Amino acid sequence: MSHACGHDHDHVHTLDSGRIDARLSEARRLCEAQGERMTAPRLRTLELILSENAPVKAYDVIDRFHPDGAAKPPTVYRALAFLEQMGLIHRIESLNAFVACQGHADGKAVQPHAAAFLLCDCCGSSEEVAVSLPEIDQQASASGFETRRVTLEARGLCKACR
Amino acid sequence: MSHACGHDHDHVHTLDSGRIDARLSEARRLCEAQGERMTAPRLRTLELILSENAPVKAYDVIDRFHPDGAAKPPTVYRALAFLEQMGLIHRIESLNAFVACQGHADGKAVQPHAAAFLLCDCCGSSEEVAVSLPEIDQQASASGFETRRVTLEARGLCKACR
DNA sequence: ACTGTTTATGTTATTACATAACAGATACCG
DNA sequence: CGGTATCTGTTATGTAATAACATAAACAGT
Ligand SMILES: [Zn+2]
Ligand SMILES: [Zn+2]
Ligand SMILES: [Zn+2]
Ligand SMILES: [Zn+2]
């Protein structure tokens, strides 16, 4: 984690392993409840993303996948696609990275959903926030546009890094 | 332009060359007014993006840059960065592509600005819409987050492709 | 015009990100 | 158990973006 901003990034806290295990179990339940399989590579990919608790690059997952040596890219990209479909992770377009969905943090199952993100350019932290988008919905309606997915990402500085 | 959607994409209209020339002249004026140079590679890059009138991949610009043979990537990526800074084009994160700013279409000079986009997954068309984002601004404030740039992209089907 | 300084471009090479294609294994269902 | 669908392993390739350094053009002051 390189930075030249004159302050530390201790405020980017990680999840303890108990909390991660809980999230993984819950993810397995959620998949099985929908007739989907939570396989080893999917679980491992989710584990690595949860461990970071911030947006992670696909190739970071690839590099850390095995204790010794990297995974093959398709293994991880397929797992990422699956986890995203299940609503367990989100892709951050402006970072080419993936982050665990915060909608599950409190133990509730959450269907795949659009989310907005506050992304710190200094410490790399991410906060998922729920927003409605009346204006763009209205603009879309006015244009006869049928919206399927919305990407909303705010880049800037978090409270601790300002 | 490949598609298997059962309808044509004639509704994706291009700009005629007179209109493109006008936009290029205006871009030059806008740069010079700010003490920036509108050089040949920058102008050529903008021309290619205006010609498409829809989001264009960087490597499409690279391939078409010279009548015979491609440009080198840094040439085009540097031009793209410049044009984006000048507010003449926007980067579409979810497509890894660039589109001309529509704020200049009516002859007005427009400062660099955030914009939202309606992006058709079928015909590839793009519509730039102006929106304010009270909810995310509010969420950011509540979190002590200082927003610098916002990406807002709606993917779906345009009126003609629904 | 001369000269130092800044800004932009040319060029080579490399790094980062993502998917196609197909073979093999595993789960699931009747 | 056999057939089918789903998932994984593997190789190779395709696509997107930048690092690093050399060259050239513009600019400002003399
Ligand atoms: Zn979420
Ligand atoms: Zn921060
Ligand atoms: Zn614009
Ligand atoms: Zn369309």
Side-chain angles (χ1 to χ4, degrees), chain A residues 90 101-103 113 115 128:
Chain A
H90 295 286
C101 176
Q102 289 304 117
H113 57 272
E128 180 175 343

Side-chain angles (χ1 to χ4, degrees), chain B residues 88-143:
Chain B
L88 292 165
I89 63 172
H90 296 287
R91 178 181 170 86
I92 307 297
E93 298 286 358
S94 67
L95 296 173
N96 292 341
F98 299 84
V99 69
C101 175
Q102 289 303 118
H104 303 273
D106 53 5
K108 289 185 300 192
V110 174
Q111 290 303 108
H113 57 272
F117 295 90
L118 306 177
L119 304 163
C120 181
D121 287 330
C122 182
C123 69
S125 68
S126 165
E127 183 179 354
E128 180 175 343
V129 298
V131 299
S132 63
L133 301 164
E135 279 198 64
I136 193 148
D137 289 345
Q138 185 186 338
Q139 293 266 13
S141 298
S143 295

Side-chain angles (χ1 to χ4, degrees), chain B residues 38-153:
Chain B
M38 176 52 83
T39 62
R42 291 166 176 178
L43 202 62
R44 175 63 174 154
T45 298
L46 181 56
E47 181 186 13
L48 288 166
I49 293 173
L50 284 167
S51 301
E52 201 69 18
N53 200 29
V56 194
K57 301 276 191 177
Y59 271 77
D60 288 341
V61 174
I62 288 167
D63 291 342
R64 299 170 194 163
F65 196 83
H66 296 299
D68 52 340
K72 304 293 170 61
T75 303
V76 169
Y77 277 101
R78 287 193 281 230
L80 291 169
F82 171 82
L83 295 169
E84 191 177 15
Q85 280 186 332
M86 296 299 293
L88 292 165
I89 63 172
H90 296 287
R91 178 181 170 86
I92 307 297
E93 298 286 358
S94 67
L95 296 173
N96 292 341
F98 299 84
V99 69
C101 175
Q102 289 303 118
H104 303 273
D106 53 5
K108 289 185 300 192
V110 174
Q111 290 303 108
H113 57 272
F117 295 90
L118 306 177
L119 304 163
C120 181
D121 287 330
C122 182
C123 69
S125 68
S126 165
E127 183 179 354
E128 180 175 343
V129 298
V131 299
S132 63
L133 301 164
E135 279 198 64
I136 193 148
D137 289 345
Q138 185 186 338
Q139 293 266 13
S141 298
S143 295
F145 187 91
E146 176 187 323
T147 301
R148 294 226 247 240
R149 300 196 317 291
V150 175
T151 297
L152 177 47
E153 300 169 10

Side-chain angles (χ1 to χ4, degrees), chain A residues 49-122:
Chain A
I49 293 174
L50 284 167
S51 302
E52 202 68 20
N53 201 27
V56 194
K57 301 275 190 179
Y59 270 76
D60 288 340
V61 175
I62 288 167
D63 291 341
R64 298 170 195 164
F65 197 83
H66 296 299
D68 52 339
K72 303 294 169 63
T75 302
V76 169
Y77 277 102
R78 287 192 281 230
L80 291 169
F82 172 82
L83 295 168
E84 191 177 14
Q85 281 186 332
M86 296 301 292
L88 292 165
I89 65 172
H90 295 286
R91 177 181 169 87
I92 307 296
E93 298 285 0
S94 67
L95 296 174
N96 292 340
F98 298 84
V99 69
C101 176
Q102 289 304 117
H104 304 272
D106 52 4
K108 288 185 301 189
V110 174
Q111 291 302 110
H113 57 272
F117 295 90
L118 306 179
L119 304 164
C120 181
D121 287 331
C122 182

